[in-house]
């Protein structure tokens, strides 16, 4: 199992103002490893990108349109909404895998809404067996990240707004799949009800269609849901192993 881990310390910098020089006891400083295990993890880390820095082109238009919406659920009910799309690089419009040049990198984007996205006619929400999410701790894949090129990230501004400066996001490769662990420590703000966060990853393979390939860990349970996902292709590497 490949355990490539990316530790990211959030700081209200560019879009949200400069960080205070005063020390804050509830902010985890991951710039200095406290243990040999942390040092080893940092040395092998993925440089998690910020969604705001991406330059994307047009979205792929599939049978369900340019975006795929659904609920992340288990036997107990719906735990989150998920809205996903796949985009080509900037300047490519339309984004059509059938005509895209060889080597095109596709960006898979997933907006995850714990509990509800306030749309009663899709996924979770009023009248659709929505759950009250007090603590969500991870967004993850349930299948290997076929064609993963090593680039993944999330919206740092959204994480800052939902949790605050103590938040840590850890990107892990587990069983050749990606896991975004959202850590807020004990007490205080958590990633919780109606706080959408955007996650992304990149692949050299286009989506084969929607699949139940994603999950959220929330309220100490796992709930899965659909999203665009590439098919395994012989000879195409996966940077998760």
């Amino acid at each position: 199992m490949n355990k490539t881990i990316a530790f990211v310390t959030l700081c209200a910098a560019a879009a949200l103002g400069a960080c205070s020089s005063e020390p804050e006891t509830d902010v985890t400083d991951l710039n200095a490893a406290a243990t040999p295990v942390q040092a080893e993890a940092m040395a092998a880390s993925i440089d998690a990108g910020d969604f705001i820095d991406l330059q994307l082109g047009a979205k792929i238009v599939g049978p369900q349109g340019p975006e795929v919406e659904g609920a992340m659920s288990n036997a107990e009910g719906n735990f989150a909404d998920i809205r996903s799309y796949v985009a080509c690089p900037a300047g490519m419009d339309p984004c059509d895998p059938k005509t895209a040049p060889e080597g095109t990198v596709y960006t898979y984007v997933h907006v995850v809404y714990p509990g509800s996205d306030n749309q009663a006619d899709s996924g979770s929400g009023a009248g659709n067996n929505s759950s009250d999410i007090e603590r969500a701790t991870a967004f993850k894949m349930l299948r290997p990240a076929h064609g993963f090129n090593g680039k993944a990230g999330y919206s740092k501004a959204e994480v800052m707004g939902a949790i605050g400066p103590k938040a840590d996001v850890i990107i892990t490769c587990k069983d050749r799949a990606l896991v975004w662990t959202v850590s807020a420590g004990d007490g205080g703000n958590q990633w919780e009800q109606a706080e959408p966060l955007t996650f992304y990853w990149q692949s050299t393979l286009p989506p084969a269609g929607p699949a139940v390939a994603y999950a959220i860990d929330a309220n100490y349970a796992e709930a899965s849901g659909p999203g665009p996902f590439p098919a395994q292709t012989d000879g195409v590497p996966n940077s998760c192993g």
Side-chain angles (χ1 to χ4, degrees):
M1 177 177 70
N2 187 341
K3 294 184 177 178
T4 304
I5 302 175
F7 288 88
V8 181
T9 301
L10 298 179
C11 172
L16 299 175
C19 291
S20 169
S21 60
E22 294 296 324
E24 296 182 68
T25 57
D26 62 345
V27 177
T28 303
D29 182 7
L30 294 178
N31 292 321
T35 68
V37 173
Q38 288 183 358
E40 182 180 355
M42 291 174 65
S45 66
I46 295 172
D47 184 14
D50 192 344
F51 180 70
I52 198 172
D53 294 331
L54 292 180
Q55 301 293 323
L56 300 179
K59 300 174 184 177
I60 293 177
V61 179
Q64 299 183 28
E67 298 185 350
V68 176
E69 295 184 351
M72 307 180 85
S73 62
N74 59 25
E76 300 300 320
N78 293 346
F79 280 67
D81 280 353
I82 180 170
R83 176 174 58 85
S84 307
Y85 61 88
V86 182
C88 281
M92 289 189 64
D93 189 0
C95 181
D96 185 352
K98 295 179 180 179
T99 59
E102 185 177 354
T104 295
V105 172
Y106 300 93
T107 300
Y108 290 69
V109 180
H110 312 281
V111 185
V112 180
Y113 302 77
S116 173
D117 65 355
N118 299 316
Q119 295 183 15
D121 61 348
S122 70
S124 304
N128 285 338
N129 195 22
S130 174
S131 301
D132 182 11
I133 304 303
E134 297 181 354
R135 184 171 187 169
T137 56
F139 171 66
K140 59 190 180 183
M141 295 178 182
L142 299 176
R143 304 181 182 189
H146 305 308
F148 176 50
N149 71 348
K151 302 290 182 66
Y154 56 94
S155 171
K156 297 183 180 181
E158 290 175 357
V159 171
M160 177 67 68
I163 302 171
K166 68 176 182 177
D168 297 329
V169 175
I170 303 170
I171 302 180
T172 309
C173 283
K174 181 178 180 180
D175 297 331
R176 306 188 72 213
L178 286 163
V179 179
W180 291 258
T181 300
V182 181
S183 174
D186 294 327
N189 289 335
Q190 301 290 328
W191 181 27
E192 54 193 345
Q193 184 81 9
E195 292 181 335
L197 297 184
T198 301
F199 305 91
Y200 76 88
W201 64 288
Q202 294 184 334
S203 174
T204 56
L205 294 172
V212 180
Y214 301 96
I216 186 173
D217 287 344
N219 289 2
Y220 305 99
E222 179 183 279
S224 59
F229 209 79
Q232 183 175 1
T233 303
D234 291 342
V236 177
N238 174 355
S239 290
C240 273

